[in-house]
Amino acid sequence: MYTPLHQKQNHQNTMHLHRLLHLILLFLLLAPPRIALASSHCTTAASKTYHNCLSLPTQQASLAWTLHARTATLDLAFTGSLLAPSGWVGFGVNPGNNAPEMVGARALIAFADPSTGATVALPFVLDDSTKLQKAPLRSRPLDIPLSASETSVLADRATVSIRATLRLAHNRTKINLVWNRGAYVQGYSPTIHPMDAPALNSRATIDILTTASTSVPHTPTALLRTLHACLNSASWGLMLPIGAALARHLKQLSPSPAPTWFYAHAGTQLAGFTLGTFGFGTGLWLGGQSVGVVHEAHRKLGVAVFCVGGLQMMALMCRPTATHRLRKYWKSYHHLVGYACVVMGVVNVFQGFEVMGLWRSYWRLGYCVVLASLVGVFVALEANSWVLFCRKAREEEMRREGAVGGKKGFGDDEI
């Protein structure tokens, strides 16, 4: 049976317990977040212990390291997952003092040796030509003290661990780290990595003393690249060819005397040029964000297509009347410039696929299927136009012959 004295003691015990819990919670909140990390070691997937480890923000990659302060040397272990058994995975260090960038990084990339099948990690220098894809990526010695000591593939055959040693510069405690992976290796040359957001944001600056990492702020570059590709593929690559075909074939197929074909042609081309203008603007913004990286052919073709398209829009506003003496010259100019704009637009769409690394992708395959279907329709309409033209020419010839023959017979009867 509880008495008031027992209730008072229980109340005091509860108050003491609450105070103790508050003190523990306050200690946990105020304690440095790296105390637990400093007091315990971490073991990598390759069963080796390091003093510090960090999960990287993308691609399920991680980095572990041990700092030897006396020699200013880092023992590193990078762990990443393969996209495919024939793929590659790697990491690199950019020795520059700026933000972590792929261009300028010195990398160690692991893949299966095509001769022996064993996993090897080779050194690569990622310069401007790598980003521009001017030539296959070739292994060459690094000019910084970064070397691989061991490479291993784990039991799941999908995870690769690269152990390396890096000598730090004097009073340098931060490293600019980049990492990535790809699906194919041609010989000893890794092919381009995917161009999705995780692949483009696989970089960070890591403080090896505090284990703090600063990821690159998320930018809308990946989204704008996709928007740029979609707008330009739909406008210059599809709508302008469709508009040109409407002007050529709808005029013959439409029985109505009203200029239906003209409004369809002008509306399609105007909508295509409007979308293409937005696509051209996003391309200029993306070009400004890629300092030192210029895709010459894609940029020059894009500027040329936009200028020619603008001339076509101006020509529409300066269109002479049907009875004007300059109408035939205007038509010749309009046809020549229009077909040139269509051809350059389609070619530049394929250039864009190559720039984005989508040459062997389903996006390019889908565009090719749609474009091939349109070409098939255009060929069928062109054949139908020639059939109609030949039929009308034959009817006109028979009409003339009949008229001439009728006149001669009438004259002979009079004679």
Side-chain angles (χ1 to χ4, degrees), residues 19-53:
R19 290 175 181 175
L20 180 61
L21 290 176
H22 288 165
L23 289 175
I24 294 174
L25 181 61
L26 183 63
F27 174 78
L28 292 176
L29 290 175
L30 297 180
R34 56 189 174 94
I35 287 181
L37 186 60
S39 60
S40 62
H41 295 66
C42 53
T43 303
T44 65
S47 301
K48 184 175 180 179
T49 302
Y50 291 86
H51 287 171
N52 301 292
C53 55

Side-chain angles (χ1 to χ4, degrees), residues 37-81:
L37 186 60
S39 60
S40 62
H41 295 66
C42 53
T43 303
T44 65
S47 301
K48 184 175 180 179
T49 302
Y50 291 86
H51 287 171
N52 301 292
C53 55
L54 186 67
S55 295
L56 299 176
T58 61
Q59 299 183 347
Q60 300 176 345
S62 63
L63 183 72
W65 69 91
T66 296
L67 173 63
H68 302 284
R70 177 176 295 181
T71 58
T73 303
L74 273 181
D75 287 337
L76 300 170
F78 171 82
T79 303
S81 57

Side-chain angles (χ1 to χ4, degrees), residues 33-34 37 52 54 65 173-174 206-213:
R34 56 189 174 94
L37 186 60
N52 301 292
L54 186 67
W65 69 91
T173 62
K174 294 183 179 181
I206 300 175
D207 192 322
I208 59 175
L209 295 181
T210 64
T211 69
S213 66

Side-chain angles (χ1 to χ4, degrees), residues 131-133 192-195 225-226 228-234 236-238 295 297-299 301 345-371:
K131 195 166 187 177
L132 293 174
Q133 305 174 47
I192 187 171
H193 58 73
M195 303 301 290
R225 283 170 63 94
T226 304
H228 172 74
C230 293
L231 288 175
N232 288 327
S233 299
W236 308 111
L238 293 177
H295 305 284
H298 188 57
R299 168 177 284 191
L301 273 176
V346 173
V347 171
N348 205 30
V349 169
F350 284 102
Q351 282 284 333
F353 282 123
E354 185 175 0
V355 167
M356 294 186 67
L358 300 176
W359 190 255
R360 296 181 179 180
S361 66
Y362 288 109
W363 292 103
R364 176 177 171 270
L365 178 61
Y367 175 75
C368 289
V369 170
V370 175
L371 186 62

Side-chain angles (χ1 to χ4, degrees), residues 4 16 30 101 129 145 188 232 264 275 278 326 336 350 353 378 403:
H16 290 316
L30 297 180
E101 298 287 345
S129 63
Y188 289 91
N232 288 327
L275 292 179
F278 285 107
L326 296 178
L336 179 63
F350 284 102
F353 282 123
F378 297 162

